[in-house]
Amino acid sequence: AVPRRLACGDVEGRLEALFGRVRAIQGKSGRFDMLLCVGNFFGSTSEAEWADYRTGAKKAPIPTYVLGANDQETVNYFPDISGCELAENITYLGRRGLYSGTSGLQIAYLSGTESQDEPAPAYSFSAKDVAELKTSLLSTPNFKGVDILLTSPWPRDVGTFANSAGEIDTKKCGSKLVSDLAASLKPRYHFAALEKTYYERLPYRNHTVLQETPQHVSRFIALADVGNASKKKYLYAFSIVPMSLMDPAEIVKQPQDVTENPYRKSRKEAPKTKAPLCAEEEPACQFFFDLNKNQGKKRSSDGKERGKSQPKQARKTSQPAGPCWFCLASPEVEKHLVVSIGTHCYLALAKGGLLPDHVLILPIGHYQSVVDLSSEVVEEVTKYKSALKEFFRSKGKRYVLFERNYRSQHLQLQVVPVPLDHCTSKDIKESFIAQAQEQQIELLEIPEHSDITQVAQPGTPYFYVELDTGEKLFHRIRGRFPLHFGREVLASEALLALPQRADWRRCAAERAEEAAQARAFRRDFQPFDFALRA
């Protein structure tokens, strides 16, 4: 049988009314697998009814999953901010994340209301929270969307191209961040509450007709508050087969009443902000250059000039749909840092680099990590590594390369030169291993002829170091990981002795100085730059 779920609007602490209704529905039409509650689960008068459930005197009739507080008053009902069982059969999902059911059902959730403050109060979410949730989900291989999205606020502009939402003005109501999240996560069902009304929007498309491959449709449903006097609908029953188990042709079927995507317009109008070429990428910063402008014969991005043999054809570059999707063609992107452009990759000076010749190897197309790269991109990365090894050796230096595939959207290979007479490759390796041990990070050596793709699957978070001797160290990230770890080790007294430069944000130079450094690097690197000879 197809799993059946229930979704509910603001409970406001009226547990008896809610669970009484659920029992009545189950008595009449059979068992449901779960109840998903959005909006305010607790209210100002919750304590008396809640005590019975908290102590186990009463039990919810069905596994119930709830979102967190939307105001300071109810924060104390959620003892663990990251999610926990509140009572038997009642689970608080957490601030944000993905809940995967045993059936394969994927439920993305975001607790609280939108806040402009960073960090957001305990009952709110910020742009950073949304960016991190998007990044974690969009970086999973072959991401097509989630089955269900749960938020308390409505998404701003959800009524565009749609049936009327009654007295609610969808241009003013709700959260822009939720719209952005829904546009990226493409939920098949999106539930919200807080507005004390019921609104089932017509289903909308997640693709542009005749321009993009057909995708599944999304349905937005706002629910009223439990036991409301106007008898507006607060409980919604639906059947859903997880997308992962469905036939692709079945998933993309378009109903008769489907509309355009309400968020397309608002995403295009998102404010354009300057995208710095950061040495260490935080979730809200990406490295994109507008390389679509014709830059000579090499700029073929459609694969027509890549030769006939393309064994990894299936691995196409994805379009960035993460926090900085608008950076891709931004005229403000800092192109003055680019020092070499190949066919599939380019080289750029790191912004706030550890040293003036700290460079990044970056793919032109949008790839998340080294393990996602297609064969022709890997080939060109290898060419850049050889060219940089030769270049730095000519200056009496050896390079250390590292990659952090964690809280990042676009692959960056950080390449930092270290003077040959300063330390051996053994010293560098030992410094990384010793500082990793201090922080309980297990850094393992990869056998000489092995490749990182043999130890990491696409989508796996990891940290990786490579010396120009070919020696490699690898750490599989399973929880938190210090964002500046690679820089901190290299900046330490044992290696470059530049501890004050461990954080790139403290090292940013004036634009004129950066441009001068890039020109100098470009000039010196020219004899080694294979891209100029292509």
Side-chain angles (χ1 to χ4, degrees):
V2 176
R4 299 187 312 154
R5 328 275 168 184
L6 286 169
C8 176
D10 305 273
V11 180
E12 308 270 24
R14 301 184 196 106
L15 302 176
E16 289 303 286
L18 169 63
F19 293 137
R21 183 93 183 90
V22 170
R23 284 189 194 94
I25 290 171
Q26 292 203 127
K28 200 165 140 191
S29 41
R31 185 158 171 70
F32 283 77
D33 296 80
M34 60 165 60
L35 169 64
L36 304 168
C37 297
V38 291
N40 297 314
F41 186 70
F42 295 105
S44 49
T45 56
S46 297
E47 203 40 59
E49 283 190 39
W50 176 237
D52 287 341
Y53 290 87
R54 196 185 61 237
T55 57
K58 288 181 180 173
K59 179 185 158 183
I62 176 176
T64 302
Y65 297 86
V66 311
L67 293 181
N70 295 300
D71 53 42
Q72 188 59 53
E73 200 180 352
T74 54
V75 166
N76 57 351
Y77 284 101
F78 303 91
D80 182 349
I81 201 140
S82 58
C84 55
E85 186 172 68
L86 299 177
E88 191 178 347
N89 249 2
I90 302 176
T91 303
Y92 161 50
L93 288 164
R95 278 194 86 152
R96 60 170 193 272
L98 182 73
Y99 173 85
S100 296
T102 47
S103 64
L105 192 74
Q106 295 213 305
I107 304 172
Y109 56 88
L110 179 68
S111 286
T113 52
E114 180 172 332
S115 166
Q116 302 305 314
D117 298 333
E118 238 6 307
Y123 54 87
S124 295
F125 56 83
S126 65
K128 191 172 177 224
D129 290 310
V130 171
E132 286 180 17
L133 178 54
K134 280 166 55 174
T135 303
S136 66
L137 293 178
L138 295 165
S139 60
T140 53
N142 304 319
F143 179 80
K144 290 186 176 65
V146 294
D147 292 301
I148 297 169
L149 172 62
L150 305 177
T151 63
S152 286
W154 289 29
R156 177 73 56 86
D157 290 315
V158 70
T160 309
F161 310 126
N163 47 318
S164 165
E167 68 271 34
I168 305 292
D169 180 354
T170 58
K171 286 185 170 57
K172 291 180 184 159
C173 153
S175 156
K176 282 186 179 172
L177 289 176
V178 170
S179 304
D180 187 23
L181 185 66
S184 295
L185 299 192
K186 301 171 186 167
R188 290 163 67 207
Y189 283 88
H190 177 182
F191 295 98
L194 298 184
E195 300 299 334
K196 308 276 194 276
T197 192
Y198 167 69
Y199 172 52
E200 184 167 1
R201 190 203 185 282
L202 290 170
Y204 62 84
R205 290 186 192 96
N206 283 301
H207 65 278
T208 306
V209 178
L210 302 178
Q211 285 178 36
E212 295 171 313
T213 315
Q215 294 185 44
H216 60 275
V217 301
S218 291
R219 290 175 162 83
F220 171 75
I221 293 133
L223 294 161
D225 47 324
V226 169
N228 66 84
S230 316
K231 302 225 179 314
K232 288 176 182 169
K233 188 166 179 163
Y234 63 84
L235 209 52
Y236 184 93
F238 64 113
S239 300
I240 184 168
V241 175
M243 200 160 15
S244 54
L245 305 178
M246 287 177 71
D247 180 315
E250 198 62 32
I251 295 173
V252 302
K253 275 190 177 164
Q254 306 288 304
Q256 290 269 272
D257 54 354
V258 69
T259 79
E260 285 303 320
N261 189 307
Y263 313 126
R264 282 280 164 113
K265 182 169 163 282
S266 55
R267 291 181 96 203
K268 278 180 191 147
E269 287 168 4
K272 299 277 187 284
T273 61
K274 191 154 186 167
L277 185 74
C278 309
E280 295 273 334
E281 185 181 359
E282 301 287 347
C285 152
Q286 244 169 281
F287 302 109
F288 287 123
F289 291 82
D290 181 10
L291 296 170
N292 300 325
K293 294 181 175 137
N294 283 330
Q295 296 196 9
K297 60 179 178 12
K298 291 184 292 180
R299 193 60 51 242
S300 162
S301 59
D302 57 7
K304 285 177 190 157
E305 291 168 38
R306 284 189 191 161
K308 285 169 191 156
S309 131
Q310 289 194 11
K312 291 195 182 178
Q313 187 68 31
R315 246 184 225 176
K316 289 197 170 75
T317 67
S318 61
Q319 282 305 306
C324 286
W325 58 271
F326 47 82
C327 296
L328 187 56
S330 170
E332 293 186 272
V333 171
E334 303 189 48
K335 296 195 194 83
H336 66 287
L337 291 165
V338 177
V339 291
S340 168
I341 300 176
T343 309
H344 307 292
C345 303
Y346 62 95
L347 217 54
L349 282 193
K351 190 171 185 71
L354 257 173
L355 300 158
D357 46 3
H358 171 178
V359 288
L360 307 173
I361 304 173
L362 300 128
I364 288 168
H366 187 70
Y367 291 95
Q368 165 86 14
S369 69
V370 161
V371 296
D372 293 311
L373 296 179
S374 61
S375 53
E376 63 266 32
V377 185
V378 170
E379 199 180 311
E380 200 165 270
V381 166
T382 308
K383 278 187 182 177
Y384 267 124
K385 284 192 218 171
S386 307
L388 287 168
K389 177 177 178 174
E390 219 183 312
F391 169 63
F392 285 131
R393 288 290 169 117
S394 76
K395 293 185 169 297
K397 299 174 184 180
R398 63 158 47 87
Y399 77 63
V400 180
L401 176 149
F402 65 92
E403 179 200 357
R404 187 194 75 230
N405 180 30
Y406 167 76
R407 284 178 61 176
S408 61
Q409 261 274 51
H410 193 104
L411 162 65
Q412 319 129 57
L413 294 173
Q414 311 268 344
V415 184
V416 180
V418 179
L420 281 167
D421 56 6
H422 200 68
C423 46
T424 64
S425 58
K426 188 167 179 276
D427 296 333
I428 295 169
K429 223 160 58 172
E430 284 174 358
S431 286
F432 268 98
I433 290 166
Q435 291 191 48
Q437 280 171 346
E438 276 174 33
Q439 301 193 45
Q440 278 81 51
I441 294 166
E442 188 184 27
L443 212 48
L444 303 170
E445 193 157 353
I446 301 177
E448 201 179 330
H449 299 294
S450 293
D451 190 51
I452 185 169
T453 53
Q454 292 168 266
V455 290
Q457 293 297 311
T460 303
Y462 62 81
F463 175 79
Y464 162 70
V465 184
E466 186 180 313
L467 307 185
D468 69 358
T469 53
E471 295 165 279
K472 305 177 187 84
L473 300 170
F474 176 84
H475 168 65
R476 161 84 169 89
I477 298 173
R478 289 195 162 81
R480 291 193 168 279
F481 185 80
L483 293 182
H484 301 302
F485 179 69
R487 269 185 86 114
E488 282 164 0
V489 175
L490 288 165
S492 65
E493 295 297 343
L495 297 178
L496 292 169
L498 296 167
Q500 73 284 6
R501 297 190 71 83
D503 185 339
W504 71 269
R505 287 166 294 201
R506 296 204 191 114
C507 308
E510 291 295 322
R511 189 184 171 97
E513 192 186 332
E514 290 174 339
Q517 286 176 350
R519 279 195 299 276
F521 187 98
R522 217 176 283 132
R523 186 187 59 239
D524 292 354
F525 184 61
Q526 206 165 358
F528 304 88
D529 191 352
F530 65 89
L532 296 173
R533 301 190 290 275

